[in-house]
Amino acid sequence: MQFRLLRGLAGIFLTLLCMGLLSLRYRLNLSPKSVQERLRLSSPSTRPPELQLRDVFIAIKTTRAFHRSRLELLLDTWVSRTRKQTFVFTDSLDEGLQERLGPHLVVTNCSAEHSHPALSCKMAAEFDAFLASGLRWFCHVDDDNYVNARALLKLLKAFPQTLDVYVGRPSLNRPIHASEPQPHNRTRLVQFWFATGGAGFCINRKLALKMAPWASGPRFVDTSALIRLPDDCTVGYIIECKLGGHLQPSPLFHSHLETLQLLGASQLLEQVTLSYGVFEGKLNVIKLQGPLSPKEDPSRFRSLHCLLYPDTPWCPQLVAR
């Protein structure tokens, strides 16, 4: 009996020893390359591909009164380089624009007035169109902004893809205050930062989806009316007060409310957005020597465009060399 037990234990030991040797031999035969390949196949990557300009939805807000004086300048300059990503949101049908833009001209049912409800109506249309597009970033600009697509892409690539991102330029040096209605006819004082729409701002899709309960469909206009503030303030309110997010301030966005001449020539090509207009009774434009004269190019957008894209057909030949 004792002999049979010893024989059985010896057989089990021999079987385990053989299996261990076979396993060791198999592992030794695996090269580092084959191990990496097996890990790659067994662990599919979830990291999104590198951000490209085609992943960005750029929305321009305008009105019929500025179709000729402002919008055509943008179409001749930076929009000519970002046409597939850029959509124009206006309040009136324009056959000339429709011919140039096709489905990238979005005629909203919003009023042409420069009022809080009208502006929020257009912002809501922009936001809904972005959500429907499936793209990764939403960037809003006004019809007096120049967008440097290269600088924009560089900025957006710098943000980790795991974060909720709201980036732009604050118009104030302090948070704005608002009264938020509460039940039982009460109000609550809230404060938050917001990026001025006049300089442009961007929001990634991860954050935009979280904004939907307050920003999609008619909800954006309702939220704006609730706090009695314009569209760009409403965006900041939703992100900071409702979602607990934060504005990432960036000095690379610019509106006509700044003294644009303070930007040095060496800085211009690094900026994400620029603007032009009249501020405090004076023409407010970037300071740029050539290639077009101020008479030929009062906004300086065409000269800037020639510096960025010297191969543009209408740019002076001297710049193209």
Side-chain angles (χ1 to χ4, degrees):
M1 178 71 180
Q2 196 173 22
F3 177 72
R4 284 200 298 268
L5 180 60
L6 289 174
R7 280 180 55 187
L9 290 173
I12 293 172
F13 175 76
L14 184 61
T15 301
L16 291 174
L17 179 63
C18 291
M19 290 177 64
L21 290 173
L22 287 172
S23 175
L24 179 62
R25 180 182 177 186
Y26 173 73
R27 291 175 184 275
L28 290 174
N29 286 336
L30 284 178
S31 66
K33 184 177 180 180
S34 63
V35 170
Q36 290 175 1
E37 181 66 16
R38 288 173 64 85
L39 289 173
R40 185 185 68 81
L41 293 174
S42 62
S43 304
S45 175
T46 56
R47 184 180 179 183
E50 185 181 25
L51 187 72
Q52 304 292 331
L53 188 60
R54 62 174 177 266
D55 300 317
V56 183
F57 184 102
I58 305 174
I60 303 174
K61 181 174 66 182
T62 189
T63 183
R64 185 177 182 85
F66 296 137
H67 285 183
R68 297 289 171 269
S69 59
R70 293 186 182 183
L71 205 53
E72 288 193 353
L73 172 63
L74 305 191
L75 297 183
D76 289 343
T77 55
W78 68 267
V79 176
S80 68
R81 300 284 174 156
T82 62
R83 189 175 301 277
K84 292 181 180 179
Q85 291 76 44
T86 306
F87 295 81
V88 175
F89 292 78
T90 188
D91 42 57
S92 302
L93 182 63
D94 184 317
E95 291 184 1
L97 277 181
Q98 186 74 58
E99 188 174 341
R100 291 188 71 174
L101 289 168
H104 288 249
L105 177 67
V106 182
V107 181
T108 67
N109 292 321
C110 306
S111 168
E113 296 178 2
H114 196 74
S115 62
H116 290 183
L119 296 174
S120 293
C121 177
K122 287 178 185 172
M123 184 66 76
E126 295 177 29
F127 189 78
D128 284 344
F130 163 68
L131 290 181
S133 73
L135 297 180
R136 293 164 62 181
W137 280 89
F138 167 68
C139 293
H140 160 89
V141 295
D142 277 354
D143 55 12
D144 59 354
N145 289 132
Y146 186 101
V147 177
N148 181 344
R150 294 169 184 161
L152 173 63
L153 187 60
K154 181 181 178 181
L155 173 69
L156 301 184
K157 279 183 174 181
F159 290 105
Q161 299 181 29
T162 55
L163 296 183
D164 294 339
V165 182
Y166 169 41
V167 59
R169 188 185 193 95
S171 62
L172 305 172
N173 59 3
R174 54 174 174 76
I176 192 173
H177 293 80
S179 294
E180 183 184 66
Q182 298 289 302
H184 310 298
N185 203 28
R186 296 182 179 180
T187 59
R188 179 173 72 106
L189 187 66
V190 295
Q191 65 175 25
F192 56 92
W193 291 92
F194 74 95
T196 177
F201 60 81
C202 296
I203 299 169
N204 67 353
R205 187 170 193 83
K206 186 172 181 288
L207 177 57
L209 290 172
K210 295 178 182 178
M211 295 171 61
W214 298 275
S216 63
R219 298 181 186 91
F220 189 91
V221 175
D222 294 342
T223 304
S224 177
L226 188 74
I227 58 172
R228 299 178 182 180
L229 287 173
D231 53 329
D232 51 0
C233 298
T234 303
V235 171
Y237 166 75
I238 294 171
I239 292 171
E240 295 215 345
C241 295
K242 293 300 183 183
L243 297 173
H246 299 285
L247 170 66
Q248 301 278 347
S250 172
L252 301 178
F253 294 79
H254 302 277
S255 80
H256 67 278
L257 298 178
E258 303 167 45
T259 306
L260 295 167
Q261 293 90 342
L262 295 179
L263 285 169
S266 61
Q267 298 174 287
L268 293 177
L269 303 187
E270 302 169 1
Q271 307 309 303
V272 172
T273 66
L274 291 162
S275 188
Y276 71 98
V278 176
F279 184 54
E280 296 182 347
K282 297 179 181 179
L283 185 64
N284 185 25
V285 296
I286 57 174
K287 190 175 181 180
L288 192 60
Q289 296 296 323
L292 300 169
S293 70
K295 186 176 181 180
E296 296 172 298
D297 178 29
S299 71
R300 310 310 289 149
F301 276 13
R302 292 184 184 275
S303 296
L304 175 66
H305 190 74
C306 288
L307 290 179
L308 286 167
Y309 305 102
D311 59 334
T312 302
W314 48 260
C315 287
Q317 291 299 309
L318 182 62
V319 179
R321 289 173 189 169

